[in-house]
Short mmCIF file of all heavy atoms in Angstrom, two decimals:
data_model
loop_
_atom_site.label_atom_id
_atom_site.label_comp_id
_atom_site.label_asym_id
_atom_site.label_seq_id
_atom_site.Cartn_x
_atom_site.Cartn_y
_atom_site.Cartn_z
N ALA X 148 6.33 67.53 -17.49
CA ALA X 148 5.64 68.00 -16.28
C ALA X 148 6.58 68.74 -15.34
O ALA X 148 6.13 69.47 -14.44
CB ALA X 148 5.00 66.82 -15.55
N ASN X 149 7.88 68.51 -15.51
CA ASN X 149 8.85 69.17 -14.63
C ASN X 149 9.15 70.60 -15.07
O ASN X 149 9.70 71.40 -14.30
CB ASN X 149 10.15 68.39 -14.59
CG ASN X 149 9.98 67.04 -13.91
OD1 ASN X 149 9.05 66.86 -13.14
ND2 ASN X 149 10.88 66.10 -14.20
N LEU X 150 8.88 70.97 -16.31
CA LEU X 150 9.23 72.29 -16.84
C LEU X 150 8.52 73.38 -16.03
O LEU X 150 7.31 73.29 -15.75
CB LEU X 150 8.83 72.39 -18.31
CG LEU X 150 9.61 71.46 -19.28
CD1 LEU X 150 9.05 71.58 -20.68
CD2 LEU X 150 11.09 71.83 -19.28
N GLY X 151 9.31 74.38 -15.67
CA GLY X 151 8.76 75.52 -14.94
C GLY X 151 8.65 75.33 -13.46
O GLY X 151 8.29 76.27 -12.73
N GLN X 152 8.91 74.09 -12.96
CA GLN X 152 8.84 73.84 -11.53
C GLN X 152 10.04 74.49 -10.83
O GLN X 152 11.14 74.57 -11.38
CB GLN X 152 8.81 72.34 -11.23
CG GLN X 152 7.61 71.62 -11.83
CD GLN X 152 6.31 72.04 -11.19
OE1 GLN X 152 6.28 72.43 -10.03
NE2 GLN X 152 5.24 71.98 -11.98
N THR X 153 9.82 74.92 -9.60
CA THR X 153 10.90 75.54 -8.81
C THR X 153 11.49 74.48 -7.90
O THR X 153 10.76 73.77 -7.19
CB THR X 153 10.36 76.70 -7.98
OG1 THR X 153 9.79 77.67 -8.85
CG2 THR X 153 11.46 77.36 -7.17
N VAL X 154 12.83 74.39 -7.92
CA VAL X 154 13.53 73.35 -7.17
C VAL X 154 14.57 74.00 -6.27
O VAL X 154 15.42 74.77 -6.76
CB VAL X 154 14.20 72.33 -8.10
CG1 VAL X 154 14.92 71.28 -7.28
CG2 VAL X 154 13.19 71.72 -9.04
N ASP X 155 14.48 73.72 -4.97
CA ASP X 155 15.52 74.15 -4.03
C ASP X 155 16.51 73.00 -3.90
O ASP X 155 16.24 71.99 -3.24
CB ASP X 155 14.87 74.46 -2.68
CG ASP X 155 15.89 75.04 -1.70
OD1 ASP X 155 17.10 74.98 -1.98
OD2 ASP X 155 15.46 75.54 -0.64
N ILE X 156 17.63 73.14 -4.60
CA ILE X 156 18.59 72.03 -4.69
C ILE X 156 19.07 71.58 -3.31
O ILE X 156 19.07 70.37 -3.02
CB ILE X 156 19.78 72.41 -5.59
CG1 ILE X 156 19.28 72.69 -7.02
CG2 ILE X 156 20.82 71.30 -5.61
CD1 ILE X 156 18.62 71.51 -7.67
N PRO X 157 19.53 72.47 -2.42
CA PRO X 157 19.98 72.00 -1.10
C PRO X 157 18.88 71.24 -0.35
O PRO X 157 19.15 70.26 0.33
CB PRO X 157 20.38 73.30 -0.39
CG PRO X 157 20.71 74.25 -1.48
CD PRO X 157 19.76 73.94 -2.58
N GLU X 158 17.66 71.75 -0.47
CA GLU X 158 16.57 71.05 0.22
C GLU X 158 16.29 69.69 -0.43
O GLU X 158 15.96 68.71 0.24
CB GLU X 158 15.31 71.91 0.19
CG GLU X 158 14.13 71.27 0.94
CD GLU X 158 12.88 72.11 0.85
OE1 GLU X 158 12.95 73.25 0.34
OE2 GLU X 158 11.82 71.62 1.29
N LEU X 159 16.43 69.61 -1.76
CA LEU X 159 16.15 68.37 -2.48
C LEU X 159 17.08 67.24 -2.04
O LEU X 159 16.64 66.10 -1.85
CB LEU X 159 16.29 68.60 -3.99
CG LEU X 159 16.04 67.38 -4.89
CD1 LEU X 159 14.58 66.94 -4.77
CD2 LEU X 159 16.39 67.71 -6.33
N ILE X 160 18.35 67.58 -1.86
CA ILE X 160 19.32 66.52 -1.52
C ILE X 160 19.71 66.58 -0.06
O ILE X 160 20.64 65.87 0.37
CB ILE X 160 20.58 66.63 -2.40
CG1 ILE X 160 21.29 67.96 -2.13
CG2 ILE X 160 20.24 66.43 -3.85
CD1 ILE X 160 22.66 68.02 -2.82
N ASN X 161 19.01 67.43 0.75
CA ASN X 161 19.35 67.56 2.16
C ASN X 161 20.83 67.86 2.30
O ASN X 161 21.60 67.08 2.89
CB ASN X 161 18.97 66.29 2.93
CG ASN X 161 18.97 66.50 4.44
OD1 ASN X 161 19.10 67.63 4.91
ND2 ASN X 161 18.82 65.41 5.16
N ASP X 162 21.25 68.97 1.75
CA ASP X 162 22.67 69.28 1.53
C ASP X 162 23.35 69.64 2.84
O ASP X 162 23.52 70.81 3.17
CB ASP X 162 22.79 70.43 0.52
CG ASP X 162 24.23 70.66 0.10
OD1 ASP X 162 25.05 69.76 0.40
OD2 ASP X 162 24.51 71.69 -0.50
N GLU X 163 23.69 68.61 3.58
CA GLU X 163 24.57 68.77 4.72
C GLU X 163 25.80 67.92 4.46
O GLU X 163 25.70 66.80 4.00
CB GLU X 163 23.87 68.32 6.01
CG GLU X 163 22.63 69.15 6.34
CD GLU X 163 21.95 68.65 7.59
OE1 GLU X 163 22.55 67.82 8.30
OE2 GLU X 163 20.82 69.08 7.88
N THR X 164 26.92 68.48 4.75
CA THR X 164 28.19 67.81 4.37
C THR X 164 28.25 66.38 4.90
O THR X 164 28.69 65.47 4.21
CB THR X 164 29.39 68.61 4.91
OG1 THR X 164 29.31 69.94 4.43
CG2 THR X 164 30.70 67.98 4.48
N SER X 165 27.78 66.20 6.12
CA SER X 165 27.88 64.86 6.71
C SER X 165 26.90 63.87 6.11
O SER X 165 27.01 62.68 6.33
CB SER X 165 27.66 64.95 8.22
OG SER X 165 26.35 65.45 8.47
N LEU X 166 25.91 64.39 5.36
CA LEU X 166 24.89 63.49 4.83
C LEU X 166 25.06 63.22 3.34
O LEU X 166 24.33 62.41 2.79
CB LEU X 166 23.49 64.08 5.08
CG LEU X 166 23.12 64.32 6.55
CD1 LEU X 166 21.72 64.90 6.62
CD2 LEU X 166 23.23 63.05 7.36
N ALA X 167 25.94 63.93 2.68
CA ALA X 167 26.01 63.83 1.23
C ALA X 167 26.67 62.54 0.80
O ALA X 167 27.60 62.06 1.43
CB ALA X 167 26.76 65.01 0.66
N LEU X 168 26.14 61.94 -0.31
CA LEU X 168 26.78 60.81 -0.97
C LEU X 168 27.21 61.30 -2.35
O LEU X 168 26.39 61.71 -3.16
CB LEU X 168 25.79 59.62 -1.11
CG LEU X 168 26.28 58.45 -1.96
CD1 LEU X 168 27.51 57.80 -1.34
CD2 LEU X 168 25.17 57.41 -2.11
N ARG X 169 28.50 61.25 -2.59
CA ARG X 169 29.02 61.83 -3.82
C ARG X 169 29.70 60.75 -4.64
O ARG X 169 30.56 60.02 -4.14
CB ARG X 169 30.02 62.94 -3.50
CG ARG X 169 30.53 63.67 -4.74
CD ARG X 169 31.38 64.84 -4.34
NE ARG X 169 31.86 65.55 -5.50
CZ ARG X 169 32.64 66.63 -5.46
NH1 ARG X 169 33.02 67.12 -4.27
NH2 ARG X 169 33.05 67.22 -6.57
N VAL X 170 29.29 60.63 -5.91
CA VAL X 170 29.87 59.65 -6.83
C VAL X 170 30.30 60.41 -8.07
O VAL X 170 29.46 60.96 -8.80
CB VAL X 170 28.86 58.55 -7.20
CG1 VAL X 170 29.47 57.59 -8.20
CG2 VAL X 170 28.39 57.82 -5.95
N ASN X 171 31.62 60.48 -8.30
CA ASN X 171 32.18 61.15 -9.48
C ASN X 171 31.66 62.58 -9.61
O ASN X 171 31.31 63.05 -10.68
CB ASN X 171 31.84 60.37 -10.75
CG ASN X 171 32.48 59.00 -10.76
OD1 ASN X 171 33.55 58.80 -10.14
ND2 ASN X 171 31.85 58.05 -11.42
N GLY X 172 31.57 63.28 -8.48
CA GLY X 172 31.13 64.67 -8.52
C GLY X 172 29.64 64.84 -8.52
O GLY X 172 29.15 65.97 -8.54
N VAL X 173 28.89 63.78 -8.51
CA VAL X 173 27.42 63.84 -8.49
C VAL X 173 26.97 63.52 -7.08
O VAL X 173 27.40 62.54 -6.47
CB VAL X 173 26.82 62.85 -9.50
CG1 VAL X 173 25.30 62.86 -9.39
CG2 VAL X 173 27.25 63.20 -10.92
N TYR X 174 26.07 64.38 -6.56
CA TYR X 174 25.55 64.19 -5.21
C TYR X 174 24.21 63.45 -5.27
O TYR X 174 23.34 63.79 -6.08
CB TYR X 174 25.37 65.55 -4.52
CG TYR X 174 26.66 66.28 -4.28
CD1 TYR X 174 27.19 67.14 -5.26
CD2 TYR X 174 27.36 66.13 -3.07
CE1 TYR X 174 28.39 67.80 -5.05
CE2 TYR X 174 28.55 66.81 -2.87
CZ TYR X 174 29.06 67.64 -3.85
OH TYR X 174 30.24 68.30 -3.65
#
Side-chain angles (χ1 to χ4, degrees):
N149 293 337
L150 294 175
Q152 299 293 332
T153 300
V154 180
D155 186 348
I156 298 299
E158 182 182 352
L159 179 65
I160 63 171
N161 194 8
D162 189 14
E163 298 178 11
T164 304
S165 61
L166 300 180
L168 172 63
R169 185 174 181 180
V170 178
N171 296 331
V173 176
Y174 295 89

